[in-house]
Amino acid sequence: MRVFVTGATGFVGTAVVRELIDSDHQVLGLARSNAAAQSLVAAGATVHSGSLEDFESLRSGAAAADGVIHTAFIHDFSNYGSAAEADRRAIETLGSALAGSDRPLIVTSGTLLAQRQGPLATEEDAHNPNFPRKSEDAALALVARGVRASVLRLPPSVHGKGDHGFVPRLIGIAREKGVSAFIGDGLNRWPALHRLDAADLYRLVLEKGSAGATYHGVADEGIPTREIAEVIGRHLNVPVVSKSREQAADHFGWIALFFGIDAPASSALTQERLGWRPVQPGLIADLNAAHYFEHATDAVPLHG
């Protein structure tokens, strides 16, 4: 299958490209820079120049493919509403090129967007209609137009070597502040997934996914944030402390909004439907690997 991948040079996207090529698919990767193009060529993919805001490049890339995996998102937290709107328009553009063909389109969303009805957020839980990211609505609206569109929700922590998401930001804050903190009692839980398990799941959804379905990429269903803080504190040799919700915004900045959420999630239905099994190290085991403490960055992609 010839697959058009947006976000093909990102943290998750590079793993998706590798997984697809290793599984004998051909990859057409969206690249907005020469450096991105060079990395795609090195990976064995074909380069398709463009960006999320270049709708003609999206349309032509999708039209030239047997399926599309959309992992890209503009991570501009200072103007998140505009980024979400650009994502919606990109999804609609990709879908317009696939309409009437039953070719698959996999759209990325996040488990944090699910309106949890039980102990764990599941694939059957609707997404929060008040959240500005409208990727799920945009994807599922395409089903009636003959697009085999489905949604893949990722947890807030997709981890592995090269991670530049939430956990590295927490490490950076702990270095800066001299303490590793959690909020309140630290019993609120985060789900997590290794990037290589995520890549395997994207491929399975591409090959076997159903139109209108929602899938969850979750390995760790819910790790207490206090446990995450304790691992960070141990590796940095700094105290582990609690911050009240009133103190959290000052200590963590905007990330406090997410770090304080209790958002356990399940992938049981996804595993049953697709035969997917996460096999890579969990978040705590990965945190105990040296690579997480070599450096930290403030650049944080939000999977939700």
Side-chain angles (χ1 to χ4, degrees):
M1 186 181 294
R2 183 175 172 86
V3 188
F4 181 44
V5 180
T6 71
T9 58
F11 176 62
V12 173
T14 52
V16 171
V17 168
R18 183 76 273 145
E19 173 69 23
L20 292 173
I21 291 174
D22 287 348
S23 299
D24 296 325
H25 292 292
Q26 297 177 333
V27 173
L28 182 65
L30 185 67
R32 61 179 179 178
S33 69
N34 289 335
Q38 290 171 6
S39 68
L40 284 171
V41 170
T46 300
V47 175
H48 184 80
S49 298
S51 70
L52 282 189
E53 296 166 309
D54 181 349
F55 298 126
E56 182 51 40
S57 73
L58 295 179
R59 190 175 294 109
S60 61
D66 302 309
V68 177
I69 295 177
H70 177 52
T71 70
F73 190 75
I74 300 169
H75 301 292
D76 181 2
F77 292 98
S78 66
N79 199 4
Y80 192 74
S82 294
E85 175 61 17
D87 188 42
R88 182 191 66 78
R89 293 178 65 188
I91 292 165
E92 291 180 349
T93 300
L94 293 166
S96 69
L98 303 175
S101 67
D102 196 42
R103 286 178 286 169
L105 167 62
I106 297 98
V107 168
T108 305
S109 183
T111 61
L112 284 182
L113 305 188
Q115 289 189 307
R116 177 161 57 98
Q117 302 300 310
L120 301 171
T122 77
E123 297 86 340
E124 295 183 341
D125 289 329
H127 76 96
N128 187 341
N130 298 318
F131 199 86
R133 188 167 181 176
K134 304 298 183 182
S135 53
E136 297 194 17
D137 286 338
L140 300 181
L142 293 169
V143 175
R145 299 175 58 188
V147 181
R148 185 152 56 94
S150 55
V151 171
L152 176 49
R153 290 173 177 163
L154 296 177
S157 179
V158 178
H159 58 92
K161 192 167 186 178
D163 184 1
H164 49 272
F166 279 119
V167 170
R169 179 62 185 134
L170 292 173
I171 294 170
I173 292 170
R175 280 198 173 112
E176 175 190 349
K177 305 282 188 175
V179 296
S180 180
F182 53 89
I183 299 172
D185 59 13
L187 296 181
N188 61 298
R189 296 154 294 173
W190 267 18
L193 179 68
H194 196 282
R195 67 192 286 260
L196 299 183
D197 284 325
D200 182 45
L201 181 54
Y202 273 103
R203 177 185 58 80
L204 287 172
V205 175
L206 177 81
E207 296 171 348
K208 301 165 62 175
S210 301
T214 296
Y215 300 98
H216 276 192
V218 174
D220 294 309
E221 292 184 339
I223 302 170
T225 55
R226 179 172 186 155
E227 186 175 349
I228 297 171
E230 287 171 344
V231 174
I232 294 172
R234 185 166 63 251
H235 279 271
L236 296 181
N237 196 28
V238 298
V240 178
V241 302
S242 170
K243 294 291 182 181
S244 69
R245 294 201 173 272
E246 293 73 23
Q247 296 170 322
D250 181 63
H251 182 84
F252 292 104
W254 63 265
I255 200 176
L257 174 65
F258 303 100
F259 197 46
I261 293 175
D262 184 44
S266 167
S267 63
L269 293 176
T270 295
Q271 294 190 44
E272 176 185 339
R273 292 167 179 169
L274 298 178
W276 173 68
R277 297 290 184 273
V279 297
Q280 299 296 326
L283 175 59
I284 297 302
D286 208 11
L287 263 177
N288 279 314
H291 66 84
Y292 260 103
F293 296 91
E294 293 169 354
H295 60 82
T297 177
D298 292 349
V300 181
L302 173 64
H303 305 298

